[in-house]
Amino acid sequence: EATLDLAERRRIRSAIRELQRQELERDEETLASKRFRPERSSHRQDDKENWPQSRHLEEEQQAALAALSEQLEAITSVEELTKLLRGAGEYEERKLIRAAIRKLRAEEIE
C-alpha cells in the first residue's frame, strides 16, 4: 500500500532493513555450520570396515587398465580405437584410449 506519512515510510524501511539483516545473519550461520561440520565417527568406522574391499576393487581396476593398455598397443587403426572409445564406460579407460589415438595420429603425421 502507498502511504503519504514520511515517518511511517521510515519505520517501514527500517523494519525491512532489519528483516534483511536478520535473514543475512541466519544464512551466514547456516553456511558456517555446514562449512565446519565435524566429521561423524561412525562414518570413519564405515570407511575402515570397507577399506579392504575398496582396496581390492582398486587393484582389480589397475589390472584391467594394464591389460587394456597392452591391448591398445596392438591396435594400429584410429577407427578401431574410436569404436573402443565410444564403448568405454570408465573415465580411466577413455583416457587411455584417447592417449593411444593421439599417439597414432602423431605417428601418422610424422
Side-chain angles (χ1 to χ4, degrees):
E1 293 180 35
T3 180
L4 297 177
D5 186 16
L6 294 179
E8 186 178 356
R9 285 185 180 185
R10 278 190 222 111
R11 283 193 304 272
I12 291 171
R13 279 193 230 116
S14 176
I16 290 172
R17 281 193 297 273
E18 180 63 23
L19 288 172
Q20 289 172 338
R21 186 188 61 76
Q22 289 174 359
E23 186 177 358
L24 282 174
E25 285 177 358
R26 280 193 306 270
D27 290 345
E28 288 173 356
E29 288 173 7
T30 303
L31 282 175
S33 69
K34 287 181 181 179
R35 196 173 299 142
F36 301 111
R37 184 176 296 150
E39 204 172 304
R40 296 183 181 142
S41 61
S42 64
H43 178 68
R44 280 187 243 142
Q45 184 64 28
D46 289 344
D47 286 348
K48 287 180 183 177
E49 290 173 359
N50 294 327
W51 185 75
Q53 182 181 7
S54 65
R55 175 84 177 215
H56 179 69
L57 291 174
E58 185 178 317
E59 289 172 357
E60 285 180 354
Q61 185 182 22
Q62 290 298 326
L65 289 175
L68 176 64
S69 181
E70 291 175 13
Q71 179 186 359
L72 293 176
E73 291 292 325
I75 298 175
T76 58
S77 168
V78 174
E79 290 80 24
E80 288 180 50
L81 289 172
T82 305
K83 287 178 187 176
L84 278 175
L85 180 62
R86 289 188 182 129
E90 295 293 322
Y91 169 77
E92 293 295 327
E93 291 175 0
R94 293 191 309 269
K95 184 177 168 182
L96 284 174
I97 295 169
R98 283 193 297 270
I101 290 173
R102 282 192 299 271
K103 182 180 174 185
L104 278 178
R105 287 186 177 155
E107 289 173 0
E108 287 175 357
I109 290 173
E110 289 176 358

